[in-house]
Each structure stands twice: as C-alpha cells, then as structure tokens.
C-alpha cells in the first residue's frame, strides 16, 4: 500500500486527559461508544492484524557492520528532526531519542513510513498503562515502521483497514494520521490514536479490570482532603509502617525473587525514604537535587512467597486475583511482586483517598523486572535495577501523583508546589524544560519515570502530602505507625 494511501489515516476525539482516572473492562474492546460506561474512554487502538508468528527483526545489538549501524542511527536522527518541527510530538521525539541508544532499538530499513502518536494520545496511554516497561518502546517502533511504506511493518504487523480518506480504523472509531514530512527516505506521521502498541500493552489495555474510582471533578482535590495547603510534619515524629511483601511465582521452582531479595529491596526503600539515595551528578546539575527525609520507614513484618500462576501472569490486569493476599488491608502496607507478567507494566498502585481503608485494592503491585537486583541477576535492563520502582509506587500508595500530573495545563497538577511542572514523563536523565519558563523538569524526583540512577529523592512538599494523605485517608495505618522520638 502506497504512502499516499497510508496517509489517509484521523482521530476520534479522546475526551480524556491526565486529570481523569480511566478504568477498563474485561469485555470486547470493540465496544461502540453508546454501549460503554460514559465515565470511561478506553484508548483508541488501531485494529492491527496481530499474527501469532511475527517477523524476526534485527536490533542494534545485532549489528556488527559499522556502516550499517551508522545508517540506522541516521534514520533515527532524520525521524527525530521531522518530529522536532511539531510541538504536539515532543514525547514521541523523546521516546525515539531514548530508544535509539538502547540495544533493543530495531534496525529500520532505508525508505519507510514511521507512525507515532501525539502528546494527547500519550496522555491517554498513561492513564491506562500506569508505569510501562520502557524496553517495549523498541517493539513499538518496530510495529510502527513500514518499509517501503507498504502494509507490513518491520515486525510483521499488518496495517489496519482504512475507513475513509485520511483515516484508519481503531477500537473506538476512526482516527487521523497526518504527515509531518519526509527526508532522506523516511516519512513520519502524527497519529491521533495508537498505532503499533506492543502486544503486552495492547493486552493490558484490552483486559485490565475496572481499577480506579474515578477522580471527583466536583472538588479541586479529586476527593482528597489534602490540597496545596499542607501542614508541616512534626520533627519529633516518624511513621514506622508495618509492611508485608507477597511474591507471586508461576511454579514452585521459580525462585527469581527470594526472601533475601525482598529484605534487600526493603532496605533500599528505607534508604530512599530517608533521603539517602546515591546521586550521580549529571553535567547539567548544580546543587544536590531535593532529597527530603520523609520520616517514613518500612517495618518488614512478613514475606509470603506463593505459587500462583494466574497472579504471577495477569496480576496487573486483574488485581482481584491478589485480594486474597491482602486481608486486613487497613492494618498493613502490602507490596505484591508479579514475576511472570503479561502486561508490560513496571508497577501500579491506588491512591489512599480513592478507596475505603479496608479495601484490598490498597497495595503496591510491581513487576520483578523493576525489583532491586533482578536485572543484574538475569541479564535484564539495568535502567531499573536499583529498586526505585518500589519507591515510586510506594509514593503513590502515600498519595503522591506523578510530577507530570496535569501536564503544563496550569491546573492542580500533583498538588505539590515545590515540584516543577512537566508535560510528560522522562525515560532519560536529561535537562529539559517541557513546560517553558517554569524551570527544569524534575527528572531526579522519584515520581518521574527516569532511570533509577537518575532518581534521587522527594521534596518537602511531597513529604507533607504523604503524611496528610496517610493521616486523613489511612487513619488506622497512620495511628499504628506513628512514633515519637
């Protein structure tokens, strides 16, 4: 199919942004809009022909010829230059720059069409896939690059059916695709829906159960009693949180996460919450980034390792499978590790103010891929080897939003006044000012998506919010944990 035909690709308006908590259904993703719950809006995914047997494609780590390696990097650079001409494509450009330096980056043949979503579509994506595994962006690029601008991608994914001029069929209706131009044999398109999502993310978006209580739009704090005015934390007090870990493994001999590994992860989380995470100074750094002592400690009270193949595989998509491991939820801070994940998610967690104290959904759920030391033990991606995924998700469990919450809209954002607003998350440790003159993006903050070596600490405002959320929305746990010097 020629480029001119593919160019006929336009958007069913996504009426959602970062300020809506979207929920998912287990039902058929091809629901018509009038059949769906009007309070939710699943991401508009292009309806690909996803064959079981995919085309094997080369990755940069497989390239031995220096000339071929340089030609591939030039294709990425050219695509990045075309993306840089559009303000609505900042995040796709960031992801392209991130993945081109990664060994999982696919080798892209000369002469092709690359389809990437705009920032509004990415905002919708992050409401569904809360904390994606970044290596899967390589698969996304392979799924989205069509050599010769024909109908089959580098990975063997077949392009969806067109539903009219300049439109492509998606799960929620037709969406636009607009050419951003071409240069040296590459044409780049802006898509107003998701084209080429990796299999794991597509599965999660389709199958994830109704997760969040929708954030209230009536109040400025989305149902939380903690707004921008946050009380100081008493210096003579701290919270010693009774914490339990549950490891879901697929078989009795699957010992990728042991009790020793859990203890080490818990030690690391305590170091992070004390404000003592190591700092690797970047060339753009001045003073030490904010790194407050949160006056919160995790008191490890129980480790349970269970053989539960369903929990180990689809615990992210169906959190009800984990409820049986989170009895007496009001009394404990529960961390569940998924060891055979099908969803491509690093972690997900509910906010305290969205649930009743005893709701079993009060738990931090993380993938073993982001658990401390897993990558170094299993030749994995070292970006998330330190264990900061648990720290990040624990932040959510204490009511902290992402630093990119609300983007640059100037709205309520993360309800913390001492974090700089940023448009969308970062996967590289880079200097950026995505919201203009408000300052540099907080890439060193635990509530961004930066690599573990980049993350350093929380701010004083985040500390105050965490204490406020626990006191007001998890009062039982707060009272059990409160200590005085």
């Amino acid at each position: 199919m020629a480029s001119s035909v593919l160019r006929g690709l336009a958007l069913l308006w996504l009426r959602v942004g970062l300020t809506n908590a979207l929920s998912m259904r287990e039902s058929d993703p091809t629901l018509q809009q009038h059949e769906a719950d009007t309070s939710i809006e699943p991401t508009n995914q292009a309806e690909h022909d996803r064959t079981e047997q995919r085309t094997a494609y080369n990755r940069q780590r497989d390239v031995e010829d220096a000339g071929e390696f340089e030609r591939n990097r030039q294709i990425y650079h050219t695509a990045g230059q075309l993306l840089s001409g559009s303000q609505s494509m900042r995040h796709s450009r960031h992801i392209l720059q991130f993945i081109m330096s990664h060994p999982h980056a696919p080798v892209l043949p000369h002469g092709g069409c690359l389809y990437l979503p705009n920032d509004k579509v990415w905002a919708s994506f992050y409401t569904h896939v809360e904390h994606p595994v970044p290596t899967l962006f390589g698969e996304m690029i392979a799924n989205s690059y069509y050599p010769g601008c024909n109908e089959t991608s580098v990975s063997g994914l077949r392009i969806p059916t067109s539903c009219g001029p300049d439109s492509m069929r998606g799960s929620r209706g037709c969406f636009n695709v607009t050419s951003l131009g071409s240069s040296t044999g590459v044409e780049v398109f802006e898509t107003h829906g998701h084209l080429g999502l990796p299999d794991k993310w597509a599965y999660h978006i389709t199958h994830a159960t109704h997760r969040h209580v929708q954030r209230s739009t009536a109040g400025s704090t989305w149902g939380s009693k903690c707004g921008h005015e946050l009380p100081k934390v008493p210096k003579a007090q701290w919270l010693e949180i009774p914490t339990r870990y549950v490891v879901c493994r697929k078989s009795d001999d699957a010992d990728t996460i042991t009790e020793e590994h859990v203890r080490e992860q818990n030690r690391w989380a305590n170091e992070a919450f004390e404000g003592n995470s190591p700092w690797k100074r970047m060339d753009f750094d001045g003073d030490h980034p904010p790194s407050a002592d949160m006056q919160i400690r995790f008191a490890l009270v129980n480790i349970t390792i269970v053989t539960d193949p369903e929990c180990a595989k689809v615990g992210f998509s169906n959190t009800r499978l984990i409820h049986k491991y989170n009895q007496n939820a009001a009394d404990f801070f529960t961390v569940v590790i998924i060891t055979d994940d099908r969803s491509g998610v690093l972690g997900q967690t509910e906010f305290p103010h969205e649930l009743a104290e005893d709701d079993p959904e009060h738990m931090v759920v993380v993938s073993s891929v982001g658990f401390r030391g897993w990558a170094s033990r299993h030749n994995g991606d070292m970006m998330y080897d330190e264990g900061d995924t648990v720290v990040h998700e624990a932040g959510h469990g204490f009511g902290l939003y992402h630093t990119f919450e609300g983007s640059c809209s100037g709205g309520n954002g993360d309800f913390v006044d001492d974090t700089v607003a940023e448009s969308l998350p970062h996967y590289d440790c880079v200097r950026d000012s995505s919201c203009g003159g408000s300052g540099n993006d907080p890439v060193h903050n635990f509530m961004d998506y930066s690599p573990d070596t980049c993350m350093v600490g929380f701010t004083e405002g985040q500390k105050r919010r965490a204490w406020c959320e626990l006191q007001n929305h998890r009062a039982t746990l707060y009272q059990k944990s409160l200590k005085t010097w």
Side-chain angles (χ1 to χ4, degrees), residues 245-247 249 253-266 300 303-305 337 339 368 371-372 374 377-378:
Y245 287 76
V246 178
V247 180
R249 60 184 182 181
D253 58 355
D255 58 352
T256 56
I257 302 292
T258 66
E259 289 191 10
E260 180 183 354
H261 298 148
V262 170
R263 291 190 186 94
E264 172 57 18
Q265 171 65 78
N266 195 71
L300 181 57
I303 302 171
T304 304
I305 298 178
I337 301 103
T339 60
S368 57
F371 209 71
R372 180 162 173 78
W374 188 93
R377 294 192 299 270
H378 300 280

Side-chain angles (χ1 to χ4, degrees), residues 74-95:
Q74 185 56 48
I75 291 173
Y76 278 92
H77 281 299
T78 298
Q81 289 172 348
L82 291 169
L83 289 170
S84 67
S86 172
Q87 283 298 310
S88 65
M89 300 295 286
R90 284 179 60 96
H91 195 56
S92 279
R93 186 184 181 213
H94 170 70
I95 287 171

Side-chain angles (χ1 to χ4, degrees), residues 141-450:
I141 298 298
N143 289 345
S144 304
Y145 189 83
Y146 290 78
C149 295
N150 290 317
E151 63 179 3
T152 305
S153 73
V154 169
S155 65
L157 217 65
R158 294 177 66 85
I159 205 161
T161 304
S162 171
C163 49
D166 299 324
S167 63
M168 178 178 286
R169 188 170 301 283
S171 58
R172 303 297 297 177
C174 300
F175 61 81
N176 285 346
V177 171
T178 307
S179 175
L180 299 177
S182 61
S183 178
T184 60
V186 179
E187 186 162 12
V188 177
F189 293 83
E190 172 185 355
T191 68
H192 299 255
H194 286 290
L195 181 69
L197 282 181
D199 291 345
K200 286 188 173 184
W201 293 342
Y203 171 87
H204 184 70
I205 289 171
T206 301
H207 292 88
T209 52
H210 193 89
R211 288 185 50 229
H212 289 290
V213 177
Q214 187 172 8
R215 296 179 192 168
S216 168
T217 56
S220 62
T221 57
W222 297 324
S224 173
K225 296 179 181 178
C226 304
H228 283 282
E229 297 296 325
L230 297 165
K232 291 183 178 181
V233 176
K235 291 183 179 181
Q237 294 181 334
W238 81 96
L239 296 174
E240 196 169 285
I241 310 284
T243 304
R244 58 187 178 187
Y245 287 76
V246 178
V247 180
C248 286
R249 60 184 182 181
K250 62 181 180 180
S251 62
D252 290 340
D253 58 355
D255 58 352
T256 56
I257 302 292
T258 66
E259 289 191 10
E260 180 183 354
H261 298 148
V262 170
R263 291 190 186 94
E264 172 57 18
Q265 171 65 78
N266 195 71
R267 182 201 65 78
W268 179 264
N270 276 329
E271 192 170 295
F273 272 78
E274 290 170 1
N276 291 325
S277 283
W279 173 42
K280 179 182 179 181
R281 183 185 291 272
M282 306 301 291
D283 57 6
F284 58 83
D285 283 329
D287 296 333
H288 194 289
S291 187
D293 180 354
M294 300 288 279
Q295 295 173 231
I296 293 174
R297 307 291 180 265
F298 299 95
L300 181 57
V301 296
N302 185 260
I303 302 171
T304 304
I305 298 178
V306 298
T307 299
D308 186 336
E310 281 193 308
C311 172
K313 190 172 186 177
V314 295
F316 281 119
S317 300
N318 187 359
T319 52
R320 289 193 294 264
L321 294 169
I322 314 173
H323 287 182
K324 56 190 172 185
Y325 305 121
N326 195 22
Q327 300 297 315
N328 304 317
D331 297 315
F332 298 96
F333 192 78
T334 303
V335 181
V336 181
I337 301 103
I338 307 298
T339 60
D340 188 32
D341 173 49
R342 185 179 178 179
S343 291
V345 176
L346 279 175
Q348 66 185 32
T349 307
E350 302 295 345
F351 298 113
H353 58 265
E354 290 189 337
L355 303 167
E357 274 193 280
D358 59 350
D359 195 309
E361 283 290 319
H362 276 305
M363 54 188 165
V364 164
V365 187
V366 297
S367 169
S368 57
V369 173
F371 209 71
R372 180 162 173 78
W374 188 93
S376 55
R377 294 192 299 270
H378 300 280
N379 196 29
D381 191 327
M382 296 298 290
M383 281 181 64
Y384 299 99
D385 192 55
E386 288 186 1
D388 289 342
T389 299
V390 172
V391 177
H392 174 102
E393 295 301 329
H396 287 318
F398 297 147
L400 301 184
Y401 289 109
H402 291 128
T403 50
F404 51 88
E405 186 76 33
S407 190
C408 303
S409 63
N412 292 313
D414 62 358
F415 292 102
V416 175
D417 293 334
D418 58 358
T419 55
V420 176
E422 62 180 334
S423 60
L424 283 163
H426 284 279
Y427 295 96
D428 281 326
C429 197
V430 295
R431 184 176 193 165
D432 193 13
S433 183
S434 59
C435 291
S438 59
N440 293 328
D441 291 350
V443 294
H444 292 305
N445 193 278
F446 282 125
M447 301 315 294
D448 203 343
Y449 284 168
S450 314

